[in-house]
Amino acid sequence: MSVTAAKGFQAAGIAAGIKENGNPDLALVVNRGPRQAAAGVFTSNRVKAAPVLWSEQVLKGGVVSAVVLNSGGANACTGPQGFQDTHATAEKVAEVLEGHNAGEVVVCSTGLIGVTLPMDKLLPGVEQVAAQLSEHGGEKAAIAIKTTDSVHKTAVVSKGGWTVGGMAKGAGMLAPGLATMLVVLTTDAALDSDVLDKALRDATRLTFDRVDSDGCMSTNDTVLLLASGASEVTPEYAEFAAAVREVCDDLGQQLIRDAEGASKDIKVEVVGAASEDDAVEVGRSIARNNLLKCAIHGEDPNWGRVLSAIGTTKAAFDPNQLNVAINGVWVCKNGGVGEDRELVDMRYREVHIVADLAAGAETATIWTNDLTADYVHENSAYSS
Amino acid sequence: MSVTAAKGFQAAGIAAGIKENGNPDLALVVNRGPRQAAAGVFTSNRVKAAPVLWSEQVLKGGVVSAVVLNSGGANACTGPQGFQDTHATAEKVAEVLEGHNAGEVVVCSTGLIGVTLPMDKLLPGVEQVAAQLSEHGGEKAAIAIKTTDSVHKTAVVSKGGWTVGGMAKGAGMLAPGLATMLVVLTTDAALDSDVLDKALRDATRLTFDRVDSDGCMSTNDTVLLLASGASEVTPEYAEFAAAVREVCDDLGQQLIRDAEGASKDIKVEVVGAASEDDAVEVGRSIARNNLLKCAIHGEDPNWGRVLSAIGTTKAAFDPNQLNVAINGVWVCKNGGVGEDRELVDMRYREVHIVADLAAGAETATIWTNDLTADYVHENSAYSS
C-alpha cells in the first residue's frame, strides 16, 4: 500500500546499479493531482547533504509534483559536485515525466557519506523507474529505499473517503531533531500546503522526534507529506492531524523495532514532570545512557543507572522523591531502594521504564533500543 | 608511591569483607600535618551519593585530616540510612585515629548503586586499616579502591623540595563534569586551602573534565587535594598548579587506557574554534558519537560520522570549510572528500582525530574510547 494507498499517486522502485550488490536502489513517487500541495521537515544537523539543501528550497514553494529517492549513497559532504548531481537528478525527473518542473521535484538520498553518486547509473535509472510508475508501485518504492533495513516499512490509515499512507527507511542513526530517516507520506485529502505543514510538524514532534535509537543524527533526514486532493474530501484539521500522527507513530515504531543490532525496544515514559520540556530532556538523557542500554541488554533492571541519567539534567526534581518502575515494578521509590528487583520480568523484547519526577503533571515518551554487541559489529563493519 | 609520596601522609589498604570476592576494599589516607589544608571537586550529577553529600560539607571548612575510601558499594540512592552509614564511618575514623574530628574526615565510596553498605564489615575494617597505616602504604590504598579497574593507578611529580602524588580509580562511567572517578592527591607543599582549591579546579577543568570514555556521569565522583606542609616549601602558584595538572593529566590518561572493554584510546583535538567553549562542545559531540566510536573500533576512518557529530552542535563553523584529519591524514577538506582514506593507518591503540572548524584560533582536546562488544559485555553483566 505505502505511498500509493492514497488516490492520485503513482510510484515505482528499481535496481539502477547504484548499489554494487544489485539490490533495488531507486524509487520515484509522483503526485498526479489534481492538487500538488506538500510540506516537509528536514534534519536539524547543520551538516546537510546536497539533496536536503535542494529539497528545502523546493518545499518553500509548497508544491511538489514528484519525489525521487536513492539508496546506495547519501550524497553528503560531496561539495559543489554533489549539489550539481542533485540538481541534475531533479532535472532528469522533470524531463522524463513531461510537463514537470525541476523546481517541484524533491530529491532524497541515503547511504554512505562522502562519496559522489554514480550519475552514469542514476540518470538512466530515472528513465527506467519512470517507465514502471503505477498505482500499485508503493511497495516496490518502499523496498528500493532500504539501506541496512531488514524489512521495508509502510503504514496506511483510511478514514471517511480519504487516506494517509506512507513509507519509511531507517535502521541506524536514529535520533531526534528530527528523526533520522527518509519518510514519504501521501494523502488524497484536499488540503493546502499550510495545513499539511502544521499537521506534519505536530505529528513529527511527537513521533519521529521522540525515536532515539542511538543518539546519532544523520545529514539526510527528510519527512515529506504530499496531498493530491483526489478524494475531493477536505477533512477537519483535528481528524486529519490525528491520521498523520497515527501513520507517523506506526512508522516510527517500525524503525525502532528494526534498529541495527537491537534486541530490546525500550519505552522511556517520563511522568510527573514540571514541564513537557523537562520530560523530554529527562527521557532523552535516559534513552542515551550507554550503561543503562547495556544493562537492559543484559536484562538487568539497573535503576541506579536511570537515576544517574536523570541527575545529569536540568529538569525540576528532588533526588529524594524520584521513583522508577521497570516493567511495572517500582524498583526505586523516593530516590532509594523500592520493590524487589528480582520481581522484574525482562524476558520480552519490549521494556517499559517509567521515571516519575514527582514535580508536576507533564509527561513524554521517548523510544530507544538497547546497546548490543551486534550494534557494535554492524557499525564497525558498515561504513555509512 | 601514590598518596604517600609526599611527606606527612600515611595510608593503608585492606580487605574488610565488603567485596564478596575477598579483594581489598577499604583504604585510609591520613594527613599528619603540620597543615591539614584541603580542596575537593565533586560530581555535578544532581543525584549524589551519601558520601558526596557528606564530603562536600567537610570540604567547606578547608580542613581534612583523613580520607576513608571503600570499594564494593557506592552508597548511592540509599536514603537516610545511607547518610547515617557515611556519618558513622567518619565518626569511627575519628575515634580510631584519636584527636581527629569526624567533621574533618572525608568519605568516598564506589561500587553498586542502590545497595546499603555492610557496616558490620566496614566499621571493624576501619580499625584494621588504621592499624596498618604507614608512610609506604600508598600502593595498598590505591589497590583497595579498584572496582572494575584492571590496574591500580598512581602518579607522582617531585619538584624542588616538594612533591605532588596521587591515586585514582575508574574504568567506566567516565564522563565530564567532572570526571567520574575517585582521586586523592597529596602534597607536602605549604599552601592554604584557597590556593589548593584554585590549583585543583584549574587542573581538573583541563584534565579529568575532558576525559569522556562513555558519556556517563556517576553519582560518586570525588577528586581531593590534601596538603601537609611537611616540606616547609611554599612554591610559586604557577609551578604548583603545573605540577597538580601534570599529576591529574597522568592519572586521567591511565583512566582512559583502562576504560572498560576499550580497544582504542581516541584523542579528539578540536582546532580553529571561535571559542574554547565551542571547541569543548564539538569535542564532546564527536567523543560521544556511538556510530563513530564503532567505526574507530572497526579501524574505519569514517570522517562522515565526525562531520555528522560536528553538525549537531551550536559552535561557529561553515560546513563547507570543515577539515578532519585522522592519524595525520586530512581525509576531509572543506567539508568534502580530502586525502585518500586508504592512507590512514589505524593499527595502533591510540587514534588521533583533528577537527578543524576554520572559525578561529581556540582549541580543546577530549579523550575518549572506542565502543566495543567487550564494553557491552562488561556492562551487561556487571551491575554498577
Side-chain angles (χ1 to χ4, degrees):
Chain A
M1 299 294 283
S2 174
V3 289
T4 48
K7 285 178 287 188
F9 293 91
Q10 294 182 318
I14 64 160
I18 305 166
K19 286 180 180 167
E20 289 185 1
N21 65 8
N23 283 344
D25 50 21
L26 189 64
L28 184 62
V29 180
V30 177
N31 183 351
R32 295 300 188 185
R35 294 175 187 235
Q36 294 181 322
V41 190
F42 299 90
T43 183
S44 59
N45 199 310
R46 290 170 59 202
V47 176
K48 297 179 201 298
V52 169
L53 295 170
W54 169 267
S55 299
E56 281 182 332
Q57 295 306 313
V58 170
L59 262 298
K60 286 188 177 166
V63 177
V64 171
S65 65
V67 183
V68 58
L69 311 95
N70 75 274
S71 52
N75 197 9
C77 307
T78 45
Q81 182 63 49
F83 195 80
Q84 285 174 30
D85 289 345
T86 290
H87 186 183
T89 305
E91 290 282 0
K92 184 71 179 179
V93 170
E95 172 199 324
V96 168
L97 293 179
E98 294 177 7
H100 284 244
N101 175 344
E104 296 168 5
V105 175
V106 166
V107 181
C108 301
S109 299
T110 180
L112 185 63
I113 296 175
V115 179
T116 53
L117 292 172
M119 297 304 286
D120 58 325
K121 305 279 175 56
L122 205 159
L123 295 181
V126 169
E127 294 191 21
Q128 296 160 35
V129 74
Q132 306 267 331
L133 281 169
S134 124
E135 286 76 14
H136 309 289
E139 293 292 326
K140 285 193 174 167
I143 290 167
I145 61 174
K146 287 169 56 186
T147 54
T148 57
D149 304 66
S150 69
V151 293
H152 64 285
K153 294 147 184 121
T154 66
V156 174
V157 169
S158 287
K159 297 286 179 177
W162 56 275
T163 292
V164 178
M167 64 180 184
K169 70 82 42 178
M173 274 205 193
L174 299 182
L178 53 82
T180 311
M181 59 201 66
L182 301 184
V183 178
V184 182
L185 308 176
T186 58
T187 182
D188 46 19
L191 295 166
D192 292 334
S193 60
D194 55 347
V195 175
L196 300 179
D197 188 69
K198 179 163 170 30
L200 185 60
R201 287 178 194 279
D202 284 354
T204 55
R205 187 178 74 82
L206 295 172
T207 56
F208 296 127
D209 270 359
R210 295 189 181 177
V211 167
D212 193 341
S213 174
D214 61 4
C216 298
M217 189 198 300
S218 107
T219 49
N220 290 56
D221 313 329
T222 303
V223 180
L224 301 167
L225 173 56
L226 315 182
S228 69
S231 72
E232 298 182 355
V233 178
T234 302
E236 291 294 316
Y237 177 76
E239 193 183 12
F240 178 70
V244 172
R245 181 172 161 185
E246 189 177 336
V247 172
C248 289
D249 197 40
D250 188 334
L251 292 171
Q253 292 298 311
Q254 292 182 49
L255 293 172
I256 278 289
R257 288 200 295 275
D258 195 30
E260 287 170 352
S263 71
K264 303 283 188 192
D265 306 329
I266 309 171
K267 180 182 183 178
V268 180
E269 185 179 0
V270 181
V271 303
S275 69
E276 186 179 342
D277 283 351
D278 275 8
V280 170
E281 184 192 0
V282 168
R284 286 209 199 298
S285 179
I286 295 170
R288 291 185 175 185
N289 188 282
N290 277 351
L291 287 172
L292 176 65
K293 288 156 76 88
C294 287
I296 299 298
H297 178 54
E299 303 191 343
D300 169 12
N302 196 316
W303 58 268
R305 293 178 183 176
V306 177
L307 260 63
S308 283
I310 297 172
T312 63
T313 70
K314 292 174 179 157
F317 68 83
D318 173 345
N320 297 313
Q321 298 197 349
L322 295 172
N323 306 297
V324 175
I326 300 180
N327 286 353
V329 181
W330 289 94
V331 284
C332 170
K333 288 183 180 175
N334 296 319
V337 181
E339 294 173 34
D340 187 353
R341 44 173 282 155
E342 299 298 323
L343 298 173
V344 182
D345 183 352
M346 297 190 68
R347 288 172 297 171
Y348 303 101
R349 183 172 174 104
E350 188 171 320
V351 175
H352 185 191
I353 298 174
V354 181
D356 173 16
L357 304 185
E362 298 298 320
T363 70
T365 297
I366 305 287
W367 285 89
T368 189
N369 297 103
D370 57 342
L371 184 55
T372 71
D374 285 347
Y375 175 89
V376 174
H377 291 147
E378 288 199 31
N379 288 297
S380 308
Y382 173 73
S383 226
S384 67
Chain B
M1 299 293 284
S2 175
V3 290
T4 48
K7 284 178 285 188
F9 292 92
Q10 293 182 318
I14 65 159
I18 305 167
K19 287 179 181 168
E20 289 186 0
N21 64 9
N23 284 342
D25 51 20
L26 190 63
L28 184 61
V29 180
V30 177
N31 184 352
R32 295 298 188 188
R35 293 176 187 234
Q36 294 180 322
V41 189
F42 300 90
T43 183
S44 59
N45 199 311
R46 290 170 59 202
V47 176
K48 297 179 202 296
V52 169
L53 294 171
W54 168 267
S55 300
E56 282 182 333
Q57 295 305 314
V58 170
L59 262 298
K60 285 187 178 168
V63 177
V64 171
S65 65
V67 183
V68 60
L69 311 95
N70 76 274
S71 53
N75 197 9
C77 306
T78 45
Q81 183 62 50
F83 195 81
Q84 284 173 31
D85 289 344
T86 290
H87 187 184
T89 305
E91 290 283 1
K92 184 72 178 177
V93 170
E95 172 199 323
V96 168
L97 292 180
E98 293 176 7
H100 284 243
N101 176 345
E104 296 168 3
V105 176
V106 166
V107 181
C108 302
S109 299
T110 179
L112 186 63
I113 297 175
V115 179
T116 53
L117 291 173
M119 297 304 287
D120 59 325
K121 307 279 176 55
L122 204 157
L123 294 182
V126 169
E127 295 190 22
Q128 296 161 35
V129 74
Q132 306 268 330
L133 281 169
S134 121
E135 286 77 14
H136 308 289
E139 294 291 326
K140 284 192 175 170
I143 291 166
I145 60 175
K146 286 169 57 185
T147 54
T148 57
D149 305 67
S150 68
V151 293
H152 65 285
K153 295 152 183 113
T154 67
V156 174
V157 168
S158 287
K159 297 285 180 177
W162 55 275
T163 292
V164 178
M167 64 180 182
K169 70 80 44 178
M173 275 204 191
L174 298 182
L178 52 86
T180 311
M181 59 201 65
L182 301 184
V183 178
V184 181
L185 308 176
T186 59
T187 182
D188 46 20
L191 296 165
D192 292 333
S193 61
D194 54 348
V195 175
L196 300 179
D197 188 69
K198 178 162 169 34
L200 184 61
R201 289 179 194 278
D202 284 353
T204 56
R205 188 178 73 82
L206 295 173
T207 56
F208 296 127
D209 270 359
R210 296 191 179 176
V211 168
D212 192 342
S213 173
D214 61 5
C216 297
M217 189 198 301
S218 107
T219 50
N220 289 57
D221 313 329
T222 303
V223 180
L224 301 167
L225 173 56
L226 315 182
S228 69
S231 72
E232 298 181 356
V233 178
T234 301
E236 292 294 317
Y237 177 76
E239 195 184 10
F240 179 70
V244 173
R245 181 172 162 186
E246 188 176 338
V247 172
C248 289
D249 197 41
D250 188 334
L251 291 171
Q253 292 298 312
Q254 293 182 48
L255 293 171
I256 279 289
R257 287 198 296 272
D258 195 31
E260 287 171 350
S263 71
K264 302 283 188 191
D265 305 330
I266 308 171
K267 179 182 183 179
V268 180
E269 185 180 359
V270 181
V271 303
S275 70
E276 186 178 342
D277 283 352
D278 274 8
V280 171
E281 185 193 0
V282 168
R284 285 209 200 300
S285 179
I286 296 170
R288 291 184 174 186
N289 188 282
N290 277 351
L291 287 172
L292 176 65
K293 288 155 75 87
C294 288
I296 299 298
H297 178 53
E299 304 192 342
D300 169 13
N302 197 318
W303 58 269
R305 292 177 183 175
V306 177
L307 259 64
S308 283
I310 296 172
T312 65
T313 70
K314 292 175 178 155
F317 68 82
D318 174 344
N320 297 311
Q321 298 198 348
L322 294 171
N323 306 297
V324 175
I326 301 180
N327 285 353
V329 180
W330 288 94
V331 285
C332 171
K333 288 185 181 174
N334 296 319
V337 181
E339 292 172 33
D340 186 354
R341 43 174 281 154
E342 299 298 323
L343 297 173
V344 182
D345 183 352
M346 297 189 68
R347 288 172 297 172
Y348 302 101
R349 184 172 173 103
E350 188 171 321
V351 175
H352 185 193
I353 297 174
V354 181
D356 172 17
L357 304 185
E362 298 299 320
T363 69
T365 297
I366 305 288
W367 285 89
T368 189
N369 296 103
D370 57 344
L371 183 56
T372 71
D374 285 346
Y375 175 89
V376 174
H377 291 147
E378 288 199 30
N379 288 297
S380 308
Y382 172 73
S383 226
S384 67

